[in-house]
Amino acid sequence: DGEILALGHNHNPASIGGWSCATQCVGGIRKGVKSGTCVERCFSIHAEQHALIQVSPGLAYEVAVAGLLPDGSLFDNGGGFYCTVCVRIMRAAGVKFVTIWSKGESRRLTIAEAWDQSYSIATA
C-alpha cells in the first residue's frame, strides 16, 4: 500500500573497533575479486538484507535500492541488479519488484528480471 516497512544499510553486524571494509573486505577476503561477483565473500550484510530481516515474512512487496555514495550522489546500478545473495533472499521473502537507480534513472524490475540479471552478471 506504499508504506515503508523498513530501511536498511550496508554494515558488518559483527564489526569491532578498528574494522575497515577497505582492509578486511576489499584488501582481504575480497582481494582480487571482481566487483559484483562472489558477494557472499564479504563481512557485511547488504541494505536489502538488513531491511528484509526487519519485516514480517511475506509483507515486503517491493525493495527500492537507493545507495548513497560518500559524496551524497546516488549509487548507479548501471550494469543492472547484480547481487545473487540479495535476489535469493528477496525472492524467498515474496518480494515482487526491485527498483534500482540505473544510468541516471529509476528502473523497476520484476524479481524474475533481477534474478536473471544478477546471475548473468555473475557468470559473465
Side-chain angles (χ1 to χ4, degrees):
D1 65 5
E3 180 183 348
I4 294 174
L5 300 177
L7 298 173
H9 63 280
N10 294 356
H11 68 284
N12 178 345
S15 69
I16 55 172
W19 183 88
S20 159
C21 182
T23 304
Q24 279 79 18
C25 280
V26 178
I29 196 167
R30 287 189 50 83
K31 187 173 185 169
V33 174
K34 181 182 153 197
S35 180
T37 66
C38 301
V39 291
E40 70 282 358
R41 290 182 66 183
C42 179
F43 290 99
S44 292
I45 63 170
H46 287 177
E48 300 91 331
Q49 298 164 10
H50 184 220
L52 284 172
I53 62 175
Q54 299 174 65
V55 176
S56 297
L59 290 184
Y61 180 78
E62 182 167 358
V63 172
V65 180
L68 293 175
L69 298 173
D71 67 0
S73 63
L74 286 174
F75 172 76
D76 195 301
N77 282 83
F81 192 85
Y82 65 85
C83 184
T84 59
V85 177
C86 287
V87 81
R88 282 181 269 161
I89 292 170
M90 289 188 291
R91 193 169 198 158
V95 172
K96 304 294 184 222
F97 295 96
V98 181
T99 299
I100 62 173
W101 185 253
S102 178
K103 299 180 181 176
E105 297 181 352
S106 175
R107 187 162 171 230
R108 190 176 197 218
L109 308 170
T110 66
I111 197 68
E113 289 171 325
W115 179 278
D116 290 345
Q117 281 185 7
S118 69
Y119 280 95
S120 69
I121 291 168
T123 58

